Amino acid sequence: MRVALIGYGNVGKAFARLLQVKQSTFPFRIVAIHTARHGTAYDSNGLGLAPPWGPAAASVEAFLDEAQPEVAIEITTLNPESGEPAIAHIRSAFARNIHVITANKGPIAHAYSSLNAEARRRQVEFRFESTVMDGTPIFSNVRNNLPGVKILGFRGVLNSTSKVVLGALQRGLTLEEGIREAQRMGVAEADPWYDIDGWDSAAKAAALANVLMQAQTNPQEVERRGLRDIDPQEPARLARAGKTIQLVSSAEYTNGSVRLQVSPEILPNTDLLASVAGTSNLLLLYTDLMGTIGTLSIDPGVEQTAYGLFSDLVDIARSV
Ligand SMILES: NC(=O)c1ccc[n+]([C@@H]2O[C@H](COP(=O)([O-])OP(=O)(O)OC[C@H]3O[C@@H](n4cnc5c(N)ncnc54)[C@H](OP(=O)(O)O)[C@@H]3O)[C@@H](O)[C@H]2O)c1
Protein backbone atom coordinates (compact mmCIF):
# COMPACT_ATOMS: atom_id res chain seq x y z
CA MET A 1 0.00 0.00 0.00
CA ARG A 2 1.29 3.47 -0.96
CA VAL A 3 1.53 5.80 2.02
CA ALA A 4 2.22 9.56 2.14
CA LEU A 5 3.24 11.33 5.35
CA ILE A 6 2.27 14.93 6.06
CA GLY A 7 4.76 15.77 8.83
CA TYR A 8 8.00 13.94 9.65
CA GLY A 9 8.92 14.71 13.25
CA ASN A 10 9.28 12.36 16.22
CA VAL A 11 6.17 10.36 15.35
CA GLY A 12 6.83 10.18 11.60
CA LYS A 13 10.39 8.94 12.13
CA ALA A 14 9.30 6.32 14.69
CA PHE A 15 6.61 5.17 12.25
CA ALA A 16 9.12 4.89 9.37
CA ARG A 17 11.43 2.80 11.61
CA LEU A 18 8.53 0.53 12.56
CA LEU A 19 7.60 -0.04 8.89
CA GLN A 20 11.20 -1.05 8.16
CA VAL A 21 11.17 -3.59 10.99
CA LYS A 22 7.87 -5.10 9.80
CA GLN A 23 8.57 -4.78 6.05
CA SER A 24 8.71 -8.52 5.28
CA THR A 25 5.26 -9.24 6.70
CA PHE A 26 3.58 -5.86 6.05
CA PRO A 27 4.85 -4.48 2.74
CA PHE A 28 3.67 -0.86 3.10
CA ARG A 29 5.66 1.78 1.21
CA ILE A 30 6.20 5.42 2.17
CA VAL A 31 6.17 7.05 -1.27
CA ALA A 32 6.21 10.70 -0.23
CA ILE A 33 6.81 12.96 2.78
CA HIS A 34 5.89 16.62 3.14
CA THR A 35 7.15 18.90 5.94
CA ALA A 36 7.00 22.58 6.88
CA ARG A 37 10.70 23.51 6.75
CA HIS A 38 12.64 20.46 5.55
CA GLY A 39 11.00 20.28 2.14
CA THR A 40 9.25 17.42 0.34
CA ALA A 41 10.50 14.01 -0.79
CA TYR A 42 9.04 11.56 -3.32
CA ASP A 43 10.02 8.05 -4.40
CA SER A 44 7.38 5.69 -5.68
CA ASN A 45 9.72 2.76 -4.90
CA GLY A 46 9.76 3.74 -1.23
CA LEU A 47 11.70 6.30 0.80
CA GLY A 48 14.35 5.37 3.38
CA LEU A 49 14.66 6.76 6.89
CA ALA A 50 16.64 9.82 5.73
CA PRO A 51 14.65 11.06 2.71
CA PRO A 52 16.42 13.10 0.01
CA TRP A 53 14.58 16.40 0.56
CA GLY A 54 13.68 18.46 -2.47
CA PRO A 55 11.91 21.82 -2.59
CA ALA A 56 8.68 21.95 -0.60
CA ALA A 57 5.52 21.20 -2.58
CA ALA A 58 3.52 24.39 -3.19
CA SER A 59 0.63 23.04 -1.08
CA VAL A 60 -0.65 19.86 0.50
CA GLU A 61 -3.00 19.54 -2.49
CA ALA A 62 -0.05 19.69 -4.91
CA PHE A 63 1.84 17.20 -2.71
CA LEU A 64 -1.02 14.68 -2.75
CA ASP A 65 -1.56 15.11 -6.51
CA GLU A 66 2.12 14.36 -7.14
CA ALA A 67 2.42 11.51 -4.60
CA GLN A 68 -0.82 9.68 -5.52
CA PRO A 69 -0.96 7.72 -2.25
CA GLU A 70 -3.68 5.32 -1.19
CA VAL A 71 -3.33 6.45 2.44
CA ALA A 72 -2.27 9.85 3.83
CA ILE A 73 -0.99 10.06 7.41
CA GLU A 74 -1.47 13.48 9.01
CA ILE A 75 1.16 13.98 11.73
CA THR A 76 1.81 17.69 11.75
CA THR A 77 2.10 19.85 14.85
CA LEU A 78 -1.01 20.08 17.01
CA ASN A 79 -2.92 23.35 17.00
CA PRO A 80 -5.12 22.93 20.09
CA GLU A 81 -7.24 26.03 19.49
CA SER A 82 -8.55 25.26 16.02
CA GLY A 83 -7.17 21.91 14.84
CA GLU A 84 -5.89 23.66 11.67
CA PRO A 85 -4.18 23.28 9.26
CA ALA A 86 -4.51 19.54 9.93
CA ILE A 87 -8.29 19.63 9.32
CA ALA A 88 -7.70 21.19 5.89
CA HIS A 89 -4.99 18.60 5.13
CA ILE A 90 -7.42 15.79 5.90
CA ARG A 91 -10.18 17.36 3.79
CA SER A 92 -7.72 17.67 0.87
CA ALA A 93 -6.97 13.93 1.11
CA PHE A 94 -10.66 12.98 1.29
CA ALA A 95 -11.36 15.20 -1.74
CA ARG A 96 -8.92 12.97 -3.66
CA ASN A 97 -10.50 9.74 -2.35
CA ILE A 98 -7.45 9.00 -0.19
CA HIS A 99 -7.84 7.15 3.13
CA VAL A 100 -6.59 9.13 6.16
CA ILE A 101 -4.90 8.24 9.43
CA THR A 102 -3.92 10.86 12.00
CA ALA A 103 -2.22 11.03 15.40
CA ASN A 104 -3.13 14.72 15.61
CA LYS A 105 -5.95 15.14 18.12
CA GLY A 106 -6.87 18.64 16.86
CA PRO A 107 -9.08 17.43 14.00
CA ILE A 108 -10.84 14.83 16.17
CA ALA A 109 -11.40 17.29 19.02
CA HIS A 110 -12.68 20.08 16.73
CA ALA A 111 -14.21 18.55 13.60
CA TYR A 112 -14.72 14.80 14.00
CA SER A 113 -18.35 14.65 12.99
CA SER A 114 -17.98 16.60 9.74
CA LEU A 115 -14.73 14.83 8.82
CA ASN A 116 -16.30 11.44 9.45
CA ALA A 117 -19.33 12.37 7.32
CA GLU A 118 -16.99 13.52 4.54
CA ALA A 119 -15.05 10.22 4.70
CA ARG A 120 -18.33 8.27 4.42
CA ARG A 121 -19.49 10.34 1.46
CA ARG A 122 -16.19 9.67 -0.27
CA GLN A 123 -16.22 5.99 0.79
CA VAL A 124 -12.76 6.24 2.30
CA GLU A 125 -11.52 5.15 5.71
CA PHE A 126 -10.62 7.53 8.55
CA ARG A 127 -8.60 6.29 11.58
CA PHE A 128 -7.08 8.11 14.58
CA GLU A 129 -6.11 5.53 17.24
CA SER A 130 -2.99 7.43 18.36
CA THR A 131 -4.82 10.65 19.23
CA VAL A 132 -5.63 9.46 22.77
CA MET A 133 -3.39 7.26 24.94
CA ASP A 134 -0.60 7.03 22.34
CA GLY A 135 -1.81 4.10 20.26
CA THR A 136 -3.27 1.96 23.03
CA PRO A 137 -6.49 0.56 21.51
CA ILE A 138 -9.44 2.66 22.62
CA PHE A 139 -11.35 3.60 19.48
CA SER A 140 -10.68 0.32 17.65
CA ASN A 141 -11.56 -1.64 20.78
CA VAL A 142 -14.98 -0.01 20.95
CA ARG A 143 -15.50 -0.23 17.17
CA ASN A 144 -14.40 -3.85 16.76
CA ASN A 145 -15.10 -5.51 20.08
CA LEU A 146 -18.10 -3.76 21.63
CA PRO A 147 -20.93 -3.98 19.07
CA GLY A 148 -24.19 -2.54 20.38
CA VAL A 149 -22.57 -1.14 23.50
CA LYS A 150 -23.44 2.44 24.43
CA ILE A 151 -20.72 4.48 26.13
CA LEU A 152 -22.46 6.31 28.96
CA GLY A 153 -19.46 8.27 30.17
CA PHE A 154 -15.79 8.05 31.05
CA ARG A 155 -13.17 9.08 33.55
CA GLY A 156 -9.50 9.12 32.75
CA VAL A 157 -6.06 10.35 33.66
CA LEU A 158 -4.78 11.09 30.17
CA ASN A 159 -1.97 13.63 30.48
CA SER A 160 1.50 12.40 31.43
CA THR A 161 3.03 15.84 32.09
CA SER A 162 0.46 16.74 34.74
CA LYS A 163 1.15 13.42 36.46
CA VAL A 164 4.88 14.13 36.59
CA VAL A 165 4.27 17.68 37.86
CA LEU A 166 1.81 16.54 40.54
CA GLY A 167 4.34 13.89 41.64
CA ALA A 168 6.96 16.63 41.97
CA LEU A 169 4.59 18.83 44.03
CA GLN A 170 3.91 15.82 46.27
CA ARG A 171 7.65 15.64 46.95
CA GLY A 172 7.69 19.32 47.90
CA LEU A 173 9.11 20.69 44.61
CA THR A 174 7.65 23.70 42.76
CA LEU A 175 5.41 23.71 39.68
CA GLU A 176 8.32 24.98 37.55
CA GLU A 177 10.65 22.23 38.86
CA GLY A 178 7.94 19.67 38.01
CA ILE A 179 7.64 21.06 34.48
CA ARG A 180 11.42 20.85 34.01
CA GLU A 181 11.30 17.21 35.18
CA ALA A 182 8.57 16.43 32.59
CA GLN A 183 10.62 18.20 29.90
CA ARG A 184 13.71 16.16 30.78
CA MET A 185 11.59 13.00 30.42
CA GLY A 186 10.41 14.22 26.98
CA VAL A 187 6.70 13.95 27.79
CA ALA A 188 5.78 17.67 27.89
CA GLU A 189 4.13 19.44 24.92
CA ALA A 190 6.24 22.12 23.19
CA ASP A 191 4.29 24.59 25.36
CA PRO A 192 4.01 22.81 28.74
CA TRP A 193 1.30 25.21 29.97
CA TYR A 194 -0.97 23.55 27.47
CA ASP A 195 -0.63 20.39 29.64
CA ILE A 196 -0.64 22.21 32.99
CA ASP A 197 -3.75 24.27 32.24
CA GLY A 198 -5.66 21.18 31.14
CA TRP A 199 -5.93 21.97 27.42
CA ASP A 200 -4.39 18.65 26.36
CA SER A 201 -6.76 16.78 28.69
CA ALA A 202 -9.68 18.84 27.35
CA ALA A 203 -8.75 18.07 23.73
CA LYS A 204 -8.57 14.35 24.54
CA ALA A 205 -11.89 14.49 26.39
CA ALA A 206 -13.53 16.25 23.43
CA ALA A 207 -12.05 13.69 21.01
CA LEU A 208 -13.30 10.76 23.09
CA ALA A 209 -16.76 12.30 23.47
CA ASN A 210 -17.04 13.17 19.76
CA VAL A 211 -16.18 9.64 18.67
CA LEU A 212 -17.56 7.42 21.44
CA MET A 213 -20.58 9.46 22.60
CA GLN A 214 -21.54 11.19 19.33
CA ALA A 215 -21.05 14.60 20.96
CA GLN A 216 -20.42 17.56 18.69
CA THR A 217 -18.12 19.43 20.97
CA ASN A 218 -14.65 20.96 21.08
CA PRO A 219 -11.99 21.67 23.74
CA GLN A 220 -13.33 25.17 24.41
CA GLU A 221 -16.65 23.66 25.55
CA VAL A 222 -15.00 21.47 28.21
CA GLU A 223 -15.37 22.84 31.78
CA ARG A 224 -11.67 23.12 32.51
CA ARG A 225 -9.50 23.72 35.55
CA GLY A 226 -5.78 23.03 35.59
CA LEU A 227 -2.89 22.71 37.99
CA ARG A 228 -2.55 26.49 38.37
CA ASP A 229 -5.96 26.32 40.10
CA ILE A 230 -4.61 24.32 43.06
CA ASP A 231 -2.52 25.37 46.06
CA PRO A 232 0.98 24.06 45.15
CA GLN A 233 1.48 22.90 48.76
CA GLU A 234 -1.69 20.79 48.71
CA PRO A 235 -0.36 17.63 46.98
CA ALA A 236 2.37 17.25 49.67
CA ARG A 237 -0.21 17.80 52.48
CA LEU A 238 -2.59 15.27 50.90
CA ALA A 239 0.20 12.71 50.45
CA ARG A 240 0.68 12.67 54.23
CA ALA A 241 -3.05 11.87 54.55
CA GLY A 242 -2.94 8.97 52.06
CA LYS A 243 -4.53 11.00 49.26
CA THR A 244 -3.45 12.29 45.90
CA ILE A 245 -4.51 14.84 43.26
CA GLN A 246 -4.94 13.80 39.63
CA LEU A 247 -5.99 15.85 36.61
CA VAL A 248 -9.10 13.90 35.64
CA SER A 249 -10.95 14.12 32.30
CA SER A 250 -14.56 13.02 32.56
CA ALA A 251 -17.79 12.82 30.58
CA GLU A 252 -21.40 12.10 31.47
CA TYR A 253 -24.80 12.56 29.89
CA THR A 254 -26.82 15.29 31.59
CA ASN A 255 -30.23 16.35 30.23
CA GLY A 256 -29.59 14.60 26.95
CA SER A 257 -26.25 16.25 26.23
CA VAL A 258 -22.67 15.31 27.08
CA ARG A 259 -21.06 17.26 29.92
CA LEU A 260 -17.25 17.28 29.78
CA GLN A 261 -14.94 18.28 32.58
CA VAL A 262 -11.21 18.48 33.24
CA SER A 263 -10.37 19.12 36.84
CA PRO A 264 -7.73 18.40 39.49
CA GLU A 265 -9.53 15.92 41.78
CA ILE A 266 -8.58 14.78 45.28
CA LEU A 267 -8.63 10.98 45.34
CA PRO A 268 -7.85 8.40 48.02
CA ASN A 269 -4.70 6.46 47.10
CA THR A 270 -6.90 3.37 46.76
CA ASP A 271 -8.87 4.91 43.84
CA LEU A 272 -7.97 3.24 40.54
CA LEU A 273 -7.25 6.61 38.92
CA ALA A 274 -4.83 7.48 41.74
CA SER A 275 -2.97 4.20 41.57
CA VAL A 276 -1.42 4.61 38.13
CA ALA A 277 2.25 5.42 38.60
CA GLY A 278 4.74 7.38 36.49
CA THR A 279 3.66 8.67 33.10
CA SER A 280 1.09 5.88 32.66
CA ASN A 281 -2.47 6.69 31.59
CA LEU A 282 -5.76 5.06 32.56
CA LEU A 283 -9.20 5.37 31.02
CA LEU A 284 -12.42 3.94 32.46
CA LEU A 285 -15.38 3.64 30.06
CA TYR A 286 -18.85 3.35 31.61
CA THR A 287 -21.12 1.29 29.36
CA ASP A 288 -24.70 0.01 29.28
CA LEU A 289 -23.93 -3.65 28.52
CA MET A 290 -20.36 -4.23 29.64
CA GLY A 291 -20.21 -2.39 32.95
CA THR A 292 -16.98 -0.47 33.41
CA ILE A 293 -14.05 -1.25 31.13
CA GLY A 294 -10.58 -0.02 32.03
CA THR A 295 -7.64 0.50 29.68
CA LEU A 296 -4.18 1.10 31.07
CA SER A 297 -1.08 2.10 29.11
CA ILE A 298 2.12 1.84 31.10
CA ASP A 299 4.67 4.58 30.37
CA PRO A 300 3.66 5.03 26.70
CA GLY A 301 6.11 6.70 24.33
CA VAL A 302 6.53 7.67 20.72
CA GLU A 303 7.04 4.02 19.65
CA GLN A 304 3.52 3.27 20.87
CA THR A 305 2.15 6.30 18.99
CA ALA A 306 3.84 4.94 15.86
CA TYR A 307 2.29 1.55 16.52
CA GLY A 308 -1.18 3.15 16.70
CA LEU A 309 -0.62 4.52 13.17
CA PHE A 310 0.60 1.12 12.05
CA SER A 311 -2.42 -0.69 13.50
CA ASP A 312 -4.72 1.82 11.76
CA LEU A 313 -2.88 1.18 8.49
CA VAL A 314 -3.21 -2.59 8.82
CA ASP A 315 -6.90 -2.14 9.62
CA ILE A 316 -7.42 -0.06 6.48
CA ALA A 317 -5.44 -2.49 4.32
CA ARG A 318 -7.68 -5.31 5.56
CA SER A 319 -10.91 -3.41 5.06
CA VAL A 320 -10.45 -2.19 1.46
N1 LIG B 1 5.15 12.72 20.17
C1 LIG B 1 4.22 11.92 20.69
O1 LIG B 1 4.54 11.02 21.48
C2 LIG B 1 2.78 12.03 20.26
C3 LIG B 1 1.83 11.22 20.87
C4 LIG B 1 0.48 11.28 20.42
C5 LIG B 1 0.13 12.17 19.42
N2 LIG B 1 1.09 13.00 18.87
C6 LIG B 1 0.69 13.95 17.81
O2 LIG B 1 1.33 13.59 16.59
C7 LIG B 1 1.62 14.77 15.82
C8 LIG B 1 3.11 14.79 15.48
O3 LIG B 1 3.86 14.82 16.68
P1 LIG B 1 5.47 14.89 16.64
O4 LIG B 1 5.92 14.66 18.03
O5 LIG B 1 5.99 14.05 15.52
O6 LIG B 1 5.67 16.44 16.23
P2 LIG B 1 7.01 17.14 15.71
O7 LIG B 1 8.20 16.33 16.08
O8 LIG B 1 6.92 18.56 16.15
O9 LIG B 1 6.87 17.09 14.09
C9 LIG B 1 5.87 17.80 13.40
C10 LIG B 1 6.11 17.64 11.91
O10 LIG B 1 5.06 18.33 11.22
C11 LIG B 1 5.63 19.15 10.20
N3 LIG B 1 4.71 20.25 9.96
C12 LIG B 1 4.29 21.20 10.84
N4 LIG B 1 3.39 22.01 10.22
C13 LIG B 1 3.26 21.56 8.95
C14 LIG B 1 2.52 21.99 7.82
N5 LIG B 1 1.69 23.04 7.90
N6 LIG B 1 2.63 21.29 6.66
C15 LIG B 1 3.47 20.22 6.58
N7 LIG B 1 4.20 19.76 7.61
C16 LIG B 1 4.10 20.44 8.77
C17 LIG B 1 6.98 19.56 10.75
O11 LIG B 1 7.80 19.97 9.69
P3 LIG B 1 9.37 20.36 9.91
O12 LIG B 1 10.06 19.06 10.21
O13 LIG B 1 9.81 20.92 8.63
O14 LIG B 1 9.37 21.31 11.08
C18 LIG B 1 7.43 18.26 11.41
O15 LIG B 1 7.99 17.40 10.44
C19 LIG B 1 1.17 15.97 16.69
O16 LIG B 1 -0.11 16.38 16.27
C20 LIG B 1 1.14 15.40 18.10
O17 LIG B 1 0.20 16.07 18.93
C21 LIG B 1 2.39 12.94 19.27
Side-chain angles (χ1 to χ4, degrees):
M1 215 162 195
R2 297 162 52 84
V3 179
L5 306 186
I6 310 171
Y8 195 61
N10 297 315
V11 173
K13 287 171 190 150
F15 175 72
R17 289 194 299 271
L18 196 163
L19 283 199
Q20 276 208 343
V21 171
K22 294 289 172 187
Q23 190 62 47
S24 60
T25 32
F26 296 92
F28 301 119
R29 236 179 324 146
I30 298 175
V31 295
I33 306 177
H34 182 53
T35 68
R37 294 164 303 162
H38 287 84
T40 302
Y42 303 98
D43 187 343
S44 59
N45 293 317
L47 289 162
L49 294 180
W53 299 115
S59 64
V60 164
E61 288 80 357
F63 167 70
L64 293 171
D65 288 340
E66 174 74 27
Q68 299 279 317
E70 291 158 273
V71 181
I73 302 191
E74 213 295 343
I75 35 178
T76 65
T77 319
L78 168 69
N79 176 337
E81 273 150 46
S82 68
E84 293 289 5
I87 294 172
H89 295 165
I90 293 172
R91 288 196 203 287
S92 300
F94 288 159
R96 288 160 178 75
N97 300 317
I98 296 167
H99 307 294
V100 172
I101 299 169
T102 187
N104 188 332
K105 58 186 137 340
I108 312 302
H110 285 275
Y112 171 69
S113 134
S114 67
L115 289 173
N116 194 42
E118 179 67 17
R120 281 170 188 262
R121 256 195 313 280
R122 291 281 176 175
Q123 298 189 315
V124 292
E125 301 292 330
F126 182 35
R127 296 283 190 280
F128 36 80
E129 192 58 72
S130 291
T131 54
V132 178
M133 283 179 80
D134 309 279
T136 303
I138 302 288
F139 300 114
S140 62
N141 195 25
V142 173
R143 191 174 59 246
N144 297 328
N145 303 324
L146 298 173
V149 164
K150 183 171 184 194
I151 306 298
L152 304 173
F154 59 79
R155 273 166 70 73
V157 176
L158 304 173
N159 178 263
S160 300
T161 298
S162 63
K163 294 193 68 207
V164 173
V165 171
L166 284 164
L169 294 178
Q170 257 190 357
R171 303 195 309 277
L173 301 178
T174 64
L175 195 67
E176 286 69 22
E177 285 169 325
I179 290 171
R180 282 198 288 278
E181 194 174 317
Q183 285 171 329
R184 277 196 300 276
M185 294 167 80
V187 296
E189 285 286 336
D191 177 358
W193 297 105
Y194 172 67
D195 296 307
I196 299 300
D197 290 336
W199 281 111
D200 177 73
S201 301
K204 287 171 177 165
L208 286 167
N210 285 342
V211 180
L212 302 181
M213 301 174 76
Q214 295 75 49
Q216 297 206 12
T217 190
N218 60 56
Q220 283 86 348
E221 287 185 8
V222 178
E223 294 169 37
R224 181 184 49 80
R225 289 172 61 236
L227 301 189
R228 281 197 268 199
D229 296 311
I230 63 170
D231 171 0
Q233 322 274 308
E234 201 178 4
R237 269 197 309 270
L238 287 167
R240 291 192 286 277
K243 293 181 182 168
T244 184
I245 298 188
Q246 293 289 351
L247 192 60
V248 176
S249 303
S250 61
E252 61 178 351
Y253 280 109
T254 45
N255 304 324
S257 66
V258 178
R259 180 180 179 212
L260 292 171
Q261 276 187 301
V262 168
S263 172
E265 289 189 18
I266 298 173
L267 304 168
N269 285 347
T270 49
D271 189 296
L272 257 186
L273 291 180
S275 63
V276 189
T279 56
S280 305
N281 292 172
L282 176 66
L283 177 67
L284 301 174
L285 294 178
Y286 304 113
T287 79
D288 59 346
L289 303 177
M290 272 300 290
T292 302
I293 299 169
T295 304
L296 168 65
S297 69
I298 297 180
D299 292 331
V302 73
E303 310 298 338
Q304 283 67 55
T305 304
Y307 180 77
L309 298 175
F310 176 79
S311 69
D312 283 342
L313 185 54
V314 172
D315 195 33
I316 290 176
R318 285 177 178 159
S319 62
V320 295

